[in-house]
Amino acid sequence: MEKMMRFQYKPVRRQEAIVGLFVLLFPVLLPCFFASFSHASPSTFLEWSVPKPRHLRLLASALQRESSDGEPTDLWAPLADQGWRPCLGGSVNAPPLPQKSEGYLQVFLDGGLNQQRMGICDAVAVAKILNATLVIPYLEVNPVWQDSSSFMDIFDVDHFINVLKDDISIVKELPDDFSWSTREYYATAIRPTRIKRAPVHASANWYLENVLPVLQSNGIAAISPFSHRLSFNNLPSEIQKLRCKVNFKALVFVPHIRALGDALVHRLRYPPTESQPLITDDLTGTTDRNVKQMPQKFVVVHLRFDKDMAAHSACDFGGGKAEKLALAKYRQRIWGGRVLNSQFTDEELRSQGRCPLTPEEIGLLLAALGFDNSTRLYLASHKVYGGEARISTLRDQFPKMESKKSLASSEERVLIKGKASLLAAVDYYVGMHSDIFVSASPGNMHNALVGHRTFENLKTIRPNMPLLGQLFLNKNITWLEFRQAVVEGHQNRQGQLRLRKPKQSIYTYPAPDCMCQA
């Protein structure tokens, strides 16, 4: 027995020695490991290494707050009537469409879903200006999102054509005589029918002088690139109203997107209780729970905190040198030297409000405004930089947080899986049906939803980015001071209508061009 014990003891001691040696050598090997790992994939750090929370004092206070502290009574109150109504005009007194079109207009749109959405609206306006027949716009594959979804994959094309039938002529495909006019055709050489020199925010006269002759000579004109190629100023009021008509009435998502969106909204409004597990029959969201259950309110948080945004911002997110190197390499690979933010320090960027809010920071903002751990959140987001570990601080503050993945089954998500545009479309739809919408940082999704919710007079909290940047830089600020500053700094940023100023987007500020005072 004694021999057996000695025999078993030796391997154990040997294992302990190996473990001890590894512990001693790990600090030496770690830099080499990082170097080789970073060399192999500059962005790998972003996927697996997550820094600790940066605002521990504020976070601790936010987590200690109780629901019984009492939310402001007006927190969930809908916006008061601001005296403005949607005013898109009608087709009753509109002149009939000319019998003869000047030719076919093609546009090629880059960017993500909401940039393409704005481009579609502009394309309809340009077709109207030129008296051209619009070909359903071609959506380019974005190098970041890598989504090949077409117009018809995202939007209800028949609804689009029907709503605009009295405004312009639209075709789904070119006739056989022009079937040669493809994306590939324009990629191989300079073509006389391609308009490549359209300036950003071009005037109506520019199109009449430069594109109309091409249409009249060739019967077709293709504009690429097209995004942001129509001015917001000095356009006839009927053209402005037409752009809003496209954005707010003609662009409707395909039925399966709307069905999934309705199901998610229903599950947010009527969450299952512990004694009533959720049993969903189909995408209508109907369940077998008590139909008398009172609907609950929920907030949609658009967390635009992906690798693309983090790198482009050039801000420091607490990951040290390894993170800075990975972000810099990614930034250089995607944009070259065209990111001007990289010329500023992190303190300068934050004080100017140029840094996107992290999940931790958006949670602190919501907590300071008065939302508590009973608040239902829907997280609208693509791939979050840092993954679930980065989101954990937000989830700690708001345990009733949901997303597409938590609310819908894998079978329900099969049609949108891996499709960035369709995923964004679902989030857009849920965002339009929420009680409150909050965007963590400005961007195309933020602009599109702010404008659309303004058009419908819905509450939308716009974070005061310069204020928050300065507050988060102050490491000695108390929770009471932070909360007071946040509340005061957001009193007039909850959906109050703002009139569009010169050069501002009509899609973000639809009044006064597309709205009328009651």
Side-chain angles (χ1 to χ4, degrees):
M1 186 71 175
E2 198 172 322
K3 289 182 179 179
M4 187 178 296
M5 290 179 64
R6 284 199 298 267
F7 178 77
Q8 293 175 344
Y9 182 68
K10 287 180 181 179
V12 174
R13 293 292 299 271
R14 188 177 298 114
Q15 290 173 4
E16 290 177 350
I18 293 172
V19 171
L21 181 62
F22 179 76
V23 170
L24 289 173
L25 292 177
F26 187 71
V28 178
L29 297 173
L30 188 61
C32 300
F33 176 75
F34 266 123
S36 61
F37 210 71
S38 177
H39 178 72
S41 177
S43 63
T44 304
F45 173 87
L46 309 183
E47 309 300 331
W48 64 273
S49 180
V50 180
K52 295 180 180 179
R54 306 191 72 188
H55 313 289
L56 286 171
R57 291 180 60 189
L58 293 177
L59 185 60
S61 298
L63 291 172
Q64 288 173 4
R65 77 196 191 286
E66 298 179 359
S67 302
S68 58
D69 286 345
E71 294 179 348
T73 55
D74 62 345
L75 190 61
W76 291 102
L79 277 178
D81 189 332
Q82 301 183 74
W84 288 79
R85 301 284 186 275
C87 185
L88 302 179
S91 302
V92 177
N93 299 319
L97 289 176
Q99 292 185 350
K100 186 177 185 304
S101 164
E102 296 291 352
Y104 293 97
L105 178 69
Q106 282 181 293
V107 296
F108 299 86
L109 299 171
D110 53 10
L113 171 69
N114 291 291
Q115 183 174 326
Q116 291 171 338
R117 182 189 187 101
M118 297 170 193
I120 293 167
C121 300
D122 288 348
V124 171
V126 170
K128 182 70 172 179
I129 292 168
L130 298 174
N131 181 32
T133 298
L134 178 66
V135 184
I136 290 297
Y138 179 89
L139 309 185
E140 304 270 20
V141 178
N142 185 275
V144 175
W145 307 121
Q146 291 294 318
D147 188 349
S148 58
S149 297
S150 69
F151 181 104
M152 298 183 192
D153 293 328
I154 304 170
F155 301 106
D156 187 329
V157 66
D158 292 326
H159 177 85
F160 179 77
I161 294 173
N162 184 60
V163 169
L164 299 172
K165 66 181 186 297
D166 295 325
D167 299 292
I168 64 166
S169 297
I170 304 174
V171 295
K172 296 179 182 179
E173 296 179 348
L174 285 166
D176 292 341
D177 291 349
F178 294 99
S179 61
W180 48 265
S181 184
T182 63
R183 186 70 185 87
E184 292 71 26
Y185 172 75
Y186 293 110
T188 56
I190 298 174
R191 309 293 186 183
T193 53
R194 178 185 176 185
I195 310 298
K196 193 177 180 180
R197 62 186 185 279
V200 174
H201 303 313
S203 67
N205 284 338
W206 187 91
Y207 284 97
L208 292 171
E209 294 171 2
N210 295 275
V211 181
L212 185 58
V214 176
L215 279 172
Q216 293 172 335
S217 298
N218 301 280
I220 189 170
I223 309 178
S224 176
F226 182 73
S227 296
H228 309 298
R229 285 332 195 258
L230 182 62
S231 172
F232 290 116
N233 296 331
N234 302 319
L235 289 175
S237 62
E238 60 269 21
I239 296 297
Q240 299 287 59
K241 282 180 167 52
L242 178 58
R243 294 164 98 175
C244 281
K245 182 178 180 180
V246 181
N247 192 32
F248 302 132
K249 301 299 180 184
L251 286 177
V252 171
F253 296 123
V254 291
H256 75 86
I257 293 293
R258 303 199 305 270
L260 179 55
D262 285 333
L264 299 187
V265 170
H266 190 276
R267 293 166 198 175
L268 287 162
R269 293 268 181 233
Y270 302 95
T273 62
E274 292 183 3
S275 59
Q276 293 176 309
L278 177 64
I279 302 175
T280 306
D281 297 326
D282 50 38
L283 284 179
T284 62
T286 57
T287 67
D288 66 350
R289 72 170 61 91
N290 190 340
V291 294
K292 294 182 180 179
Q293 181 181 353
M294 291 295 292
Q296 295 191 18
K297 298 182 184 298
F298 68 94
V299 181
V300 166
V301 175
H302 177 232
L303 188 60
R304 194 187 180 206
F305 196 71
D306 48 54
K307 185 183 350 183
D308 180 49
M309 184 68 174
H312 192 275
S313 71
C315 299
D316 179 8
F317 298 106
K321 293 182 179 179
E323 179 188 65
K324 289 181 179 179
L325 177 63
L327 289 174
K329 287 185 176 181
Y330 181 82
R331 185 163 55 246
Q332 182 63 30
R333 178 165 63 87
I334 300 297
W335 299 286
R338 301 189 300 276
V339 179
L340 299 179
N341 278 3
S342 57
Q343 301 174 6
F344 298 93
T345 66
D346 182 68
E347 288 74 16
E348 290 172 331
L349 292 172
R350 291 189 179 279
S351 62
Q352 295 169 18
R354 297 192 185 188
C355 294
L357 298 178
T358 65
E360 174 191 2
E361 290 168 345
I362 196 71
L364 291 172
L365 166 64
L366 293 174
L369 288 172
F371 297 102
D372 60 32
N373 56 15
S374 69
T375 300
R376 294 187 65 77
L377 293 188
Y378 175 86
L379 190 63
S381 180
H382 192 49
K383 292 182 179 178
V384 175
Y385 162 56
E388 181 60 32
R390 175 79 75 168
I391 301 173
S392 61
T393 52
L394 178 59
R395 195 180 301 280
D396 289 343
Q397 296 180 73
F398 297 95
K400 295 185 178 181
M401 185 171 72
E402 304 285 0
S403 65
K404 295 180 291 291
K405 189 172 183 180
S406 67
L407 286 173
S409 67
S410 57
E411 290 79 11
E412 290 173 325
R413 289 182 281 113
V414 68
L415 293 177
I416 63 174
K417 185 177 181 181
K419 301 286 187 179
S421 293
L422 298 184
L423 291 166
V426 172
D427 286 339
Y428 189 104
Y429 188 90
V430 176
M432 278 304 299
H433 289 78
S434 64
D435 298 281
I436 299 173
F437 174 78
V438 185
S439 182
S441 59
N444 288 321
M445 180 80 151
H446 165 95
N447 294 337
L449 269 166
V450 165
H452 203 157
R453 289 177 67 89
T454 296
F455 190 75
E456 301 289 350
N457 198 50
L458 300 173
K459 180 170 279 190
T460 307
I461 297 175
R462 296 179 299 109
N464 188 331
M465 300 299 283
L467 170 66
L468 292 170
Q470 294 168 22
L471 293 177
F472 287 130
L473 283 172
N474 184 356
K475 300 303 179 183
N476 296 318
I477 193 170
T478 65
W479 175 250
L480 185 61
E481 293 169 336
F482 177 78
R483 183 169 184 173
Q484 183 177 354
V486 166
V487 170
E488 291 178 356
H490 289 82
Q491 287 180 346
N492 297 316
R493 302 178 69 88
Q494 299 189 24
Q496 290 85 350
L497 187 141
R498 297 170 295 161
L499 298 181
R500 187 177 73 86
K501 298 177 182 178
K503 298 184 179 181
Q504 287 183 331
S505 170
I506 198 171
Y507 307 118
T508 309
Y509 306 94
D513 302 83
C514 302
M515 302 182 74
C516 303
Q517 285 185 292

